[in-house]
Amino acid sequence: MDILIYGLVFLPIAAAFLSFLLGRKTKTGRDLLVWSVVGIEFVWSLLLFRGTETVLVTVPGVCGFGLNFTVDGFRSIYVVIAAFMWLVTGLLSPEYFAHYRNRNRYYLFLLVTLGATVAVFLSADLYTTFVFFEIMSLCSYVWVAQDEKEGSLRAGGTYLAVAVIGGMVLLMGIFLLYHQTGTMMIAELSAAAKGVNLWPAALCMFVGFAGKAGAYPIHIWLPKAHPVAPAPASALLSGILTKTGIFGILVISCKMLLHDVRWGAFVLLIGVITMFLGALLALFSVNFKRTLACSSVSQIGFILVGVGMLVLLAHENNTLAVRGTFLHMVNHSLFKLILFLVAAVIYQNTHKLDLNEIRGFGRNKHLLKFCYLMGALGIGGIPGWSGYVSKTLLHEGIVEYIHALEGGHLHAALFSAEAMKTIEWIFLISGGLTVAYMCKLFVAVFLEENRDSSVQSRYDSRKPYWKRVSAAALTAAACIIPVLGMLPGFTMDRLADMAQGFLGVHHAGHPVHYFAWVNLKGSLISIAIGAVLYLTVVRRWMMADGIYVNRWPQWLDLEEKLYRPLLLNILPGIFGWLCGLLDKLMDVLAGILPKVGAGIAAVLDIFTDGIVVLLRKTVYRDARCHGELEEGNALTHAVGVSLNLLEELLNKTIWRHHEHRKDLEHWFVLKYAAFKENATLIGRSLSFGLVLFCLGLCATLVYLLISALR
């Protein structure tokens, strides 16, 4: 098992560099290597698919913490999904990138990101999660900027800014969590979090993970990145990389704050806004891939609504919300894999994405139409397709919470029953918006004719429009959705049984009769709302003279109207003003402080001297130390004593009539001091003269050298 986990994480990363080197010699060999690696990864992920058995694997010595990986039901399912998505996109990529430059670079980062993404889902501690989360984010930036055009680079910059800022805030949250709990092991957080205020850490971590997931208000990279990124990369960005963000949010919600109703309310509100706003943006969009990108924002909102509900229902029965959240994660991954790869087929044939330009492309392309319909019907929540199952569970979670509120079973609730009914209607309306914008794409691409008859003729005559390998891979993926939707008890319920332990549920909930009228009613309401919106809003207001028009107000662009001005103009201006103010303050202090300090120092000096004098005259009276001289040094003392003795001898002999009474020791001390001072002055003068002489000599040598060079 250990070798299997190591292989799933590190084989793609090692093979990435090998594929880059091989691609410089042979493109075919590189493509075969990439196919082989993603195929092996998928087979190994199936071997890992062993139910709810938990395994822990450690790579010791990495930055003192080590890398820790684990396997359980939730993780094994998502590793299989990730490997499957890379397999399908890997099979379509050679055809899509046939006319692209820098394909070696794309495949290099494709495989590195695969290993990092698998590592995130297998991570057993938040340190491992963070390391590979950042590797995944930085490597996937290359996908967005692959074209190296102005739009791609700008969108890549937005993506990178969200990733880097989110990563730094995430790291801050992990530091706070570790400081408060003493652990980063995910399995230990539930016990370590008891009695600890984890809100600061949780909010920081939420910002980092929500940025990758695409939750409001840091969803801005999704609508900008997907239209310019290669479609296979968009499938992975939307379908699987956003789920790494959801994975982190689930760790916070299910392991740290599962019973905190305030946290549940916070996540629920973020989810409701994200769900509705994303669907509204998708309805207004007239770009095929941008519509799918905004749809991803909306579906992430649906998932966050489920996360909020599973926290709010933690004290009751949250099984429906738990299972709905997980299954909608799985469904969304599959939906976006199919829909973005359909966009890839359209773009590689037309090199356009505007609905008015690709209009009518799929009229006679029945297999492509089938693949699109499987994804569209699934994401629209149509009964019989897998999206209906997960959306039904999410809806029933909301309904169950409303019943608990009305029954008075929830005493710490922050929402009233009326407020939750409003949220339920926003949920149903968002589902209707989903039906409307997916219907808009289907009618425009697969039913209507292009306004230019020559373009329509060219579209109709384009055969083959994809290779057999691509067709087989995409069709196989599309067929999974109705199979899951028509046999939910045999397929989706079993997947939910395997995964629900990670989300804090260890018992089977009551069986759900998916096709009973009480459950069908919610889906039918959304379908009816979608039909009304399409016939009225889309066909009558969003079209002018038969042309799809983008009616979304430009001033509502958060990135261009808020974030970029804030980061590039307002914040630098504020910080510049603050720095200028601090600079002036420091200048003032630099002028005042030395004077104030000098005054204080002078006062303290006088005070200290006074204390010293007082002490020496009272407690510590002056007393000469043993052997201490009053003046001079040992030499002057010896010479002075000798001179005084000589003077005394002369006074008794030669000078007895005229005695000399002079302290020759003191006289010699003064002469010696004068001699030392003169010697010092002479030495300094000589040193100064020597310095001047050396400088003159150096100048002369430089002059001679320059003259010789000329």
PDB file of all heavy atoms in Angstrom, residues 139-156:
ATOM      1  N   CYS A 139       1.722  25.530 -10.501  1.00  0.00           N
ATOM      2  CA  CYS A 139       1.885  24.806 -11.775  1.00  0.00           C
ATOM      3  C   CYS A 139       0.688  25.010 -12.696  1.00  0.00           C
ATOM      4  O   CYS A 139       0.847  25.099 -13.915  1.00  0.00           O
ATOM      5  CB  CYS A 139       2.103  23.320 -11.502  1.00  0.00           C
ATOM      6  SG  CYS A 139       3.699  22.946 -10.761  1.00  0.00           S
ATOM      7  N   SER A 140      -0.511  25.066 -12.129  1.00  0.00           N
ATOM      8  CA  SER A 140      -1.696  25.239 -12.974  1.00  0.00           C
ATOM      9  C   SER A 140      -1.800  26.654 -13.539  1.00  0.00           C
ATOM     10  O   SER A 140      -2.560  26.883 -14.491  1.00  0.00           O
ATOM     11  CB  SER A 140      -2.964  24.895 -12.181  1.00  0.00           C
ATOM     12  OG  SER A 140      -3.039  25.661 -10.990  1.00  0.00           O
ATOM     13  N   TYR A 141      -1.037  27.593 -12.987  1.00  0.00           N
ATOM     14  CA  TYR A 141      -0.985  28.942 -13.579  1.00  0.00           C
ATOM     15  C   TYR A 141      -0.540  28.871 -15.036  1.00  0.00           C
ATOM     16  O   TYR A 141      -1.029  29.622 -15.892  1.00  0.00           O
ATOM     17  CB  TYR A 141      -0.027  29.822 -12.778  1.00  0.00           C
ATOM     18  CG  TYR A 141       0.527  30.987 -13.567  1.00  0.00           C
ATOM     19  CD1 TYR A 141      -0.242  32.117 -13.827  1.00  0.00           C
ATOM     20  CD2 TYR A 141       1.824  30.946 -14.086  1.00  0.00           C
ATOM     21  CE1 TYR A 141       0.259  33.174 -14.573  1.00  0.00           C
ATOM     22  CE2 TYR A 141       2.329  31.996 -14.831  1.00  0.00           C
ATOM     23  CZ  TYR A 141       1.547  33.109 -15.070  1.00  0.00           C
ATOM     24  OH  TYR A 141       2.045  34.146 -15.813  1.00  0.00           O
ATOM     25  N   VAL A 142       0.366  27.953 -15.333  1.00  0.00           N
ATOM     26  CA  VAL A 142       0.881  27.821 -16.705  1.00  0.00           C
ATOM     27  C   VAL A 142      -0.247  27.462 -17.658  1.00  0.00           C
ATOM     28  O   VAL A 142      -0.236  27.867 -18.829  1.00  0.00           O
ATOM     29  CB  VAL A 142       2.003  26.770 -16.748  1.00  0.00           C
ATOM     30  CG1 VAL A 142       2.546  26.586 -18.167  1.00  0.00           C
ATOM     31  CG2 VAL A 142       3.138  27.186 -15.816  1.00  0.00           C
ATOM     32  N   TRP A 143      -1.227  26.683 -17.196  1.00  0.00           N
ATOM     33  CA  TRP A 143      -2.360  26.348 -18.064  1.00  0.00           C
ATOM     34  C   TRP A 143      -3.104  27.600 -18.508  1.00  0.00           C
ATOM     35  O   TRP A 143      -3.448  27.742 -19.682  1.00  0.00           O
ATOM     36  CB  TRP A 143      -3.348  25.442 -17.324  1.00  0.00           C
ATOM     37  CG  TRP A 143      -2.812  24.123 -16.895  1.00  0.00           C
ATOM     38  CD1 TRP A 143      -1.600  23.581 -17.221  1.00  0.00           C
ATOM     39  CD2 TRP A 143      -3.457  23.176 -16.050  1.00  0.00           C
ATOM     40  NE1 TRP A 143      -1.459  22.361 -16.632  1.00  0.00           N
ATOM     41  CE2 TRP A 143      -2.584  22.081 -15.911  1.00  0.00           C
ATOM     42  CE3 TRP A 143      -4.672  23.150 -15.402  1.00  0.00           C
ATOM     43  CZ2 TRP A 143      -2.905  20.964 -15.148  1.00  0.00           C
ATOM     44  CZ3 TRP A 143      -4.996  22.038 -14.637  1.00  0.00           C
ATOM     45  CH2 TRP A 143      -4.123  20.958 -14.517  1.00  0.00           C
ATOM     46  N   VAL A 144      -3.346  28.485 -17.558  1.00  0.00           N
ATOM     47  CA  VAL A 144      -4.121  29.693 -17.868  1.00  0.00           C
ATOM     48  C   VAL A 144      -3.358  30.574 -18.853  1.00  0.00           C
ATOM     49  O   VAL A 144      -3.934  31.137 -19.785  1.00  0.00           O
ATOM     50  CB  VAL A 144      -4.442  30.469 -16.581  1.00  0.00           C
ATOM     51  CG1 VAL A 144      -5.260  31.726 -16.901  1.00  0.00           C
ATOM     52  CG2 VAL A 144      -5.208  29.586 -15.599  1.00  0.00           C
ATOM     53  N   ALA A 145      -2.036  30.701 -18.648  1.00  0.00           N
ATOM     54  CA  ALA A 145      -1.223  31.585 -19.485  1.00  0.00           C
ATOM     55  C   ALA A 145      -0.617  30.870 -20.683  1.00  0.00           C
ATOM     56  O   ALA A 145       0.298  31.404 -21.331  1.00  0.00           O
ATOM     57  CB  ALA A 145      -0.112  32.199 -18.639  1.00  0.00           C
ATOM     58  N   GLN A 146      -1.113  29.680 -21.025  1.00  0.00           N
ATOM     59  CA  GLN A 146      -0.500  28.857 -22.068  1.00  0.00           C
ATOM     60  C   GLN A 146      -0.387  29.585 -23.409  1.00  0.00           C
ATOM     61  O   GLN A 146       0.629  29.490 -24.103  1.00  0.00           O
ATOM     62  CB  GLN A 146      -1.318  27.562 -22.243  1.00  0.00           C
ATOM     63  CG  GLN A 146      -0.867  26.649 -23.371  1.00  0.00           C
ATOM     64  CD  GLN A 146       0.485  26.015 -23.111  1.00  0.00           C
ATOM     65  OE1 GLN A 146       0.898  25.882 -21.970  1.00  0.00           O
ATOM     66  NE2 GLN A 146       1.172  25.618 -24.163  1.00  0.00           N
ATOM     67  N   ASP A 147      -1.396  30.331 -23.797  1.00  0.00           N
ATOM     68  CA  ASP A 147      -1.387  31.015 -25.101  1.00  0.00           C
ATOM     69  C   ASP A 147      -0.386  32.163 -25.162  1.00  0.00           C
ATOM     70  O   ASP A 147       0.025  32.575 -26.248  1.00  0.00           O
ATOM     71  CB  ASP A 147      -2.786  31.563 -25.421  1.00  0.00           C
ATOM     72  CG  ASP A 147      -3.728  30.462 -25.848  1.00  0.00           C
ATOM     73  OD1 ASP A 147      -3.242  29.373 -26.183  1.00  0.00           O
ATOM     74  OD2 ASP A 147      -4.943  30.688 -25.825  1.00  0.00           O
ATOM     75  N   GLU A 148      -0.048  32.707 -24.011  1.00  0.00           N
ATOM     76  CA  GLU A 148       0.871  33.843 -23.899  1.00  0.00           C
ATOM     77  C   GLU A 148       0.360  35.088 -24.631  1.00  0.00           C
ATOM     78  O   GLU A 148       1.142  35.961 -25.014  1.00  0.00           O
ATOM     79  CB  GLU A 148       2.277  33.472 -24.411  1.00  0.00           C
ATOM     80  CG  GLU A 148       2.932  32.360 -23.621  1.00  0.00           C
ATOM     81  CD  GLU A 148       4.341  32.063 -24.099  1.00  0.00           C
ATOM     82  OE1 GLU A 148       4.873  32.854 -24.902  1.00  0.00           O
ATOM     83  OE2 GLU A 148       4.901  31.039 -23.689  1.00  0.00           O
ATOM     84  N   LYS A 149      -0.942  35.167 -24.815  1.00  0.00           N
ATOM     85  CA  LYS A 149      -1.533  36.373 -25.379  1.00  0.00           C
ATOM     86  C   LYS A 149      -1.862  37.344 -24.246  1.00  0.00           C
ATOM     87  O   LYS A 149      -1.800  36.993 -23.069  1.00  0.00           O
ATOM     88  CB  LYS A 149      -2.791  36.028 -26.176  1.00  0.00           C
ATOM     89  CG  LYS A 149      -2.514  35.125 -27.380  1.00  0.00           C
ATOM     90  CD  LYS A 149      -3.802  34.763 -28.091  1.00  0.00           C
ATOM     91  CE  LYS A 149      -3.543  33.832 -29.268  1.00  0.00           C
ATOM     92  NZ  LYS A 149      -4.803  33.407 -29.931  1.00  0.00           N
ATOM     93  N   GLU A 150      -2.216  38.564 -24.622  1.00  0.00           N
ATOM     94  CA  GLU A 150      -2.465  39.581 -23.613  1.00  0.00           C
ATOM     95  C   GLU A 150      -3.580  39.161 -22.656  1.00  0.00           C
ATOM     96  O   GLU A 150      -3.447  39.282 -21.435  1.00  0.00           O
ATOM     97  CB  GLU A 150      -2.822  40.912 -24.283  1.00  0.00           C
ATOM     98  CG  GLU A 150      -3.054  42.041 -23.279  1.00  0.00           C
ATOM     99  CD  GLU A 150      -3.408  43.353 -23.953  1.00  0.00           C
ATOM    100  OE1 GLU A 150      -3.397  43.398 -25.204  1.00  0.00           O
ATOM    101  OE2 GLU A 150      -3.689  44.322 -23.232  1.00  0.00           O
ATOM    102  N   GLY A 151      -4.685  38.646 -23.213  1.00  0.00           N
ATOM    103  CA  GLY A 151      -5.794  38.221 -22.367  1.00  0.00           C
ATOM    104  C   GLY A 151      -5.416  37.061 -21.467  1.00  0.00           C
ATOM    105  O   GLY A 151      -5.802  37.010 -20.292  1.00  0.00           O
ATOM    106  N   SER A 152      -4.639  36.108 -22.009  1.00  0.00           N
ATOM    107  CA  SER A 152      -4.220  34.950 -21.220  1.00  0.00           C
ATOM    108  C   SER A 152      -3.304  35.368 -20.079  1.00  0.00           C
ATOM    109  O   SER A 152      -3.441  34.885 -18.949  1.00  0.00           O
ATOM    110  CB  SER A 152      -3.504  33.942 -22.120  1.00  0.00           C
ATOM    111  OG  SER A 152      -4.330  33.528 -23.181  1.00  0.00           O
ATOM    112  N   LEU A 153      -2.361  36.248 -20.380  1.00  0.00           N
ATOM    113  CA  LEU A 153      -1.426  36.684 -19.346  1.00  0.00           C
ATOM    114  C   LEU A 153      -2.132  37.494 -18.260  1.00  0.00           C
ATOM    115  O   LEU A 153      -1.805  37.387 -17.075  1.00  0.00           O
ATOM    116  CB  LEU A 153      -0.297  37.498 -19.976  1.00  0.00           C
ATOM    117  CG  LEU A 153       0.623  36.721 -20.936  1.00  0.00           C
ATOM    118  CD1 LEU A 153       1.616  37.663 -21.592  1.00  0.00           C
ATOM    119  CD2 LEU A 153       1.357  35.608 -20.205  1.00  0.00           C
ATOM    120  N   ARG A 154      -3.105  38.302 -18.684  1.00  0.00           N
ATOM    121  CA  ARG A 154      -3.845  39.089 -17.690  1.00  0.00           C
ATOM    122  C   ARG A 154      -4.681  38.170 -16.796  1.00  0.00           C
ATOM    123  O   ARG A 154      -4.702  38.331 -15.567  1.00  0.00           O
ATOM    124  CB  ARG A 154      -4.742  40.104 -18.399  1.00  0.00           C
ATOM    125  CG  ARG A 154      -5.448  41.068 -17.445  1.00  0.00           C
ATOM    126  CD  ARG A 154      -6.218  42.118 -18.226  1.00  0.00           C
ATOM    127  NE  ARG A 154      -6.916  43.042 -17.365  1.00  0.00           N
ATOM    128  CZ  ARG A 154      -6.376  44.119 -16.805  1.00  0.00           C
ATOM    129  NH1 ARG A 154      -5.112  44.395 -17.031  1.00  0.00           N
ATOM    130  NH2 ARG A 154      -7.092  44.915 -16.026  1.00  0.00           N
ATOM    131  N   ALA A 155      -5.374  37.205 -17.411  1.00  0.00           N
ATOM    132  CA  ALA A 155      -6.158  36.249 -16.621  1.00  0.00           C
ATOM    133  C   ALA A 155      -5.247  35.397 -15.749  1.00  0.00           C
ATOM    134  O   ALA A 155      -5.578  35.083 -14.599  1.00  0.00           O
ATOM    135  CB  ALA A 155      -6.984  35.360 -17.550  1.00  0.00           C
ATOM    136  N   GLY A 156      -4.065  35.035 -16.297  1.00  0.00           N
ATOM    137  CA  GLY A 156      -3.106  34.287 -15.502  1.00  0.00           C
ATOM    138  C   GLY A 156      -2.621  35.089 -14.309  1.00  0.00           C
ATOM    139  O   GLY A 156      -2.408  34.540 -13.224  1.00  0.00           O
TER     140      GLY A 156
END
